[in-house]
Amino acid sequence: MYRKSLLLLLAVIPSPLSAQAMVDSLARPNTILVSASGKVETAPDMATMALSIRGEGKTPDAATAALAAKQKAIFAGLRGLDPKLEVRTGDIAFREVRGGNCANSPDSDGASMAQMADDLDDDATMASTDAAGGSSTANAKGPCRVIGHRATTETSIRLASVKDAGTAVGLAGRLGAASARVENFGLRDDTAAARRALDQAMANARSQAAALAAASGSRLGPVVSIMNGDVAGRARVMAMESYSMVMPVAAPPPITIDITPTPVETSAQLVVTFALLP
């Protein structure tokens, strides 16, 4: 579980000497200064997926058309699981794919392009084989050349149906996503959770101060000052990934993956000064 608890004093004070100076400035005669934290857990009400989608073809139009078709199929399929999903398109890229002897070429796509190069080069290789009387060596090891194009996009999808997040990963892969994963679970609005964490922190501060006051033979008075740290909350990232698979002719229903997300942990930190009464 990821936890983040922010203490404002530590965030803004650069050295032990200045920290002591801050404490001295907060401390007043006949007061008690305490630091207390609060932490609450809330079931997540959203899941964020990250998708990588690509389209490939021998021409720029073929590559972008393939990308658009996959996008449409993936988004439609995921909306069948969660009609309320939100799509946010991120980076979009377009590049040439080269074949032949590109080892020393600055435009070489490297090993990651090898499979696509093989696929796109099939027709050219066969044509060269026929023309050369059965030899395809010249085509495979000839000069570096453009043999196709690739369009890619990175997409973020926010699901309201948290229980279907695992199923959505597999479905995205079936529908053509190059990769899909659940990035995190969270809260659409953490206002109520933050308030509960602050209430708990304040109750803990009062309890500490009351115990200190009783030990000193005094009574606890009203609050003199409060310093509030930031409220932080985050759910555990789950390692769910999917990669593109060949789509069957008659697609069966998506495979259900049951998940139990870790609750979102929201924490708060307070520094509170209470008056001491005789």
Side-chain angles (χ1 to χ4, degrees), residues 55-67 94-98 115-128 139 145-151:
E56 299 164 345
K58 291 187 176 181
T59 66
D61 283 352
T64 53
L67 175 65
F94 181 87
R95 68 186 303 181
E96 296 175 338
V97 178
R98 294 176 176 268
Q115 184 57 53
M116 180 185 173
D118 288 344
D119 294 341
L120 292 176
D121 210 24
D122 282 346
D123 292 343
T125 299
M126 287 189 295
S128 176
N139 187 66
R145 65 201 184 284
V146 176
I147 61 171
H149 300 82
R150 169 177 286 176

Side-chain angles (χ1 to χ4, degrees), residues 50-54 67 71 88-93 152-156 178-179 181:
L51 302 179
S52 178
I53 306 172
R54 69 170 177 254
L67 175 65
Q71 273 189 320
R88 297 288 184 270
T89 302
D91 295 341
I92 300 177
T152 60
T153 180
E154 303 297 326
T155 302
S156 177
S179 67
R181 66 184 182 276

Side-chain angles (χ1 to χ4, degrees), residues 1-4 39 41 234-237 262-265:
M1 178 182 298
Y2 289 86
R3 296 183 294 181
K4 181 191 282 185
K39 182 177 67 177
E41 292 185 343
R234 189 175 184 185
R236 184 174 67 183
V237 176
T262 300
V264 177
E265 183 179 282

Side-chain angles (χ1 to χ4, degrees), residues 12-263:
V12 300
I13 299 173
S15 69
L17 289 178
S18 59
Q20 184 60 49
M22 177 64 77
V23 172
D24 290 343
S25 69
L26 291 173
R28 306 176 186 179
N30 300 318
T31 63
I32 294 178
L33 179 67
V34 297
S35 174
S37 61
K39 182 177 67 177
V40 298
E41 292 185 343
T42 311
D45 60 9
M46 71 170 188
T48 302
M49 287 179 58
L51 302 179
S52 178
I53 306 172
R54 69 170 177 254
E56 299 164 345
K58 291 187 176 181
T59 66
D61 283 352
T64 53
L67 175 65
K70 286 185 180 179
Q71 273 189 320
K72 184 176 181 180
I74 292 169
F75 297 163
L78 293 179
R79 284 195 173 92
L81 286 178
D82 183 359
K84 297 181 179 180
L85 66 81
E86 300 173 15
V87 177
R88 297 288 184 270
T89 302
D91 295 341
I92 300 177
F94 181 87
R95 68 186 303 181
E96 296 175 338
V97 178
R98 294 176 176 268
N101 185 15
C102 297
N104 299 319
S105 171
D107 295 325
S108 175
D109 293 309
S112 63
M113 294 293 188
Q115 184 57 53
M116 180 185 173
D118 288 344
D119 294 341
L120 292 176
D121 210 24
D122 282 346
D123 292 343
T125 299
M126 287 189 295
S128 176
T129 299
D130 293 339
S135 174
S136 61
T137 302
N139 187 66
K141 296 184 178 181
C144 188
R145 65 201 184 284
V146 176
I147 61 171
H149 300 82
R150 169 177 286 176
T152 60
T153 180
E154 303 297 326
T155 302
S156 177
I157 294 182
R158 181 178 292 183
L159 298 168
S161 182
V162 175
K163 67 180 179 61
D164 291 320
T167 305
V169 168
L171 180 59
R174 176 198 291 180
L175 295 174
S179 67
R181 66 184 182 276
V182 175
E183 288 196 317
N184 59 65
F185 297 93
L187 300 174
R188 290 179 177 273
D189 185 352
D190 65 354
T191 302
R195 177 59 186 270
R196 289 190 292 123
L198 288 171
D199 288 346
Q200 188 180 102
M202 189 64 196
N204 291 339
R206 189 177 296 280
S207 177
Q208 289 182 45
L212 290 171
S216 66
S218 304
R219 292 183 299 119
L220 189 65
V223 173
V224 175
S225 67
I226 301 176
M227 182 173 288
N228 180 20
D230 290 335
V231 176
R234 189 175 184 185
R236 184 174 67 183
V237 176
M238 298 187 68
M240 293 184 183
E241 294 202 25
S242 175
Y243 296 91
S244 180
M245 299 180 293
V246 176
M247 188 71 172
V249 176
I255 298 172
T256 300
I257 300 177
D258 294 327
I259 61 170
T260 306
T262 300

